[in-house]
Amino acid sequence: MLDLFIGCEHPDQEAIGLRYVDHPDPRVRREVPYALSTYATYGTYAPLSPAARAALLTLTRDPDADVRIAACREGMRDDELLPEIIRALLLMVEDPDAGTRGAAASVLAASRARTPAVADALAALIDDDEQLVRLDAAYGLARRDDPRTEEAIERVGPLGAGFEHDHRPHEFWRWRERMEGSDNPPAG
């Protein structure tokens, strides 16, 4: 039901989403972050209301990992929520479940957070058993011009077909271009 309101930018979208924050079914709660996040104009988001911000913060602590990921993804642009969201993502990149680790790594890698804790968490994932987790980790390090990027890229390994238009390997090329043009290439 929530997706009906989310897809058409219903004027009561946020109020409807707020009603479902505590819904017993995690499949419903997974949709709530998208209901709380609305466009001001095409391509730009409206600022979050205090109620939406509080609900997203609550959802970053949800027992369901997919709910937490959705809340982090949608709340990432809010400066007030960013520190809490980064903390939640840093916990999830250490999760034993590869799906949770991968989703958290993807959101963390694309984030604007440039702290040493974020870079260290991404670097810790370059030896992950899952190639897509390694790919997101290397992508995040490249975006940050981290000195561990070259090693991370090597650890990703061959990607094969299907990645020709993927933004993550493209960032590796851009990182190499930045490093070749830089007076301070990364150490090691």
Side-chain angles (χ1 to χ4, degrees):
M1 177 172 131
L2 281 177
D3 57 347
L4 294 173
F5 294 101
I6 296 166
C8 66
E9 293 293 320
H10 191 278
D12 294 325
Q13 177 176 319
E14 179 183 303
I16 293 164
L18 289 170
R19 288 186 212 141
Y20 291 95
V21 171
D22 295 328
H23 195 278
D25 189 336
R27 294 172 299 181
V28 173
R29 293 193 312 275
R30 287 176 201 151
E31 298 301 318
V32 170
Y34 306 108
L36 301 176
S37 176
T38 60
Y39 287 112
T41 60
Y42 183 76
T44 61
Y45 287 96
L48 294 173
S49 71
R53 189 176 290 122
L56 283 171
L57 184 59
T58 296
L59 293 171
T60 65
R61 299 177 183 127
D62 195 270
D64 184 83
D66 291 334
V67 173
R68 294 192 309 269
I69 291 292
C72 289
R73 185 176 288 119
E74 289 302 305
M76 185 67 70
R77 71 182 189 289
D78 187 272
D79 290 337
E80 287 183 44
L81 282 178
L82 189 60
E84 287 298 323
I85 286 173
I86 296 302
R87 277 191 274 283
L89 291 167
L90 290 173
L91 289 172
M92 285 188 280
V93 296
E94 295 179 357
D95 196 281
D97 178 70
T100 299
R101 273 194 324 277
S106 177
V107 176
L108 197 58
S111 77
R112 56 191 161 95
R114 299 289 189 263
T115 65
V118 169
D120 290 345
L122 292 168
L125 294 172
I126 66 174
D127 289 323
D128 198 272
D129 292 338
E130 298 293 324
Q131 185 181 39
L132 292 178
V133 173
R134 296 191 310 269
L135 177 61
D136 279 318
Y139 166 71
L141 292 171
R143 288 188 68 236
R144 290 159 176 80
D145 291 333
D146 189 277
R148 297 166 284 195
T149 300
E150 188 66 45
E151 178 186 2
I153 292 170
E154 289 174 17
R155 301 262 176 108
V156 170
L159 291 170
F163 288 92
E164 297 84 7
H165 303 289
D166 191 295
H167 66 282
R168 296 166 295 184
H170 180 70
E171 183 62 32
F172 303 160
W173 174 82
R174 291 176 9 141
W175 173 79
R176 286 186 173 109
E177 289 288 313
R178 288 192 305 271
M179 293 304 106
E180 288 173 10
S182 171
D183 292 336
N184 299 322

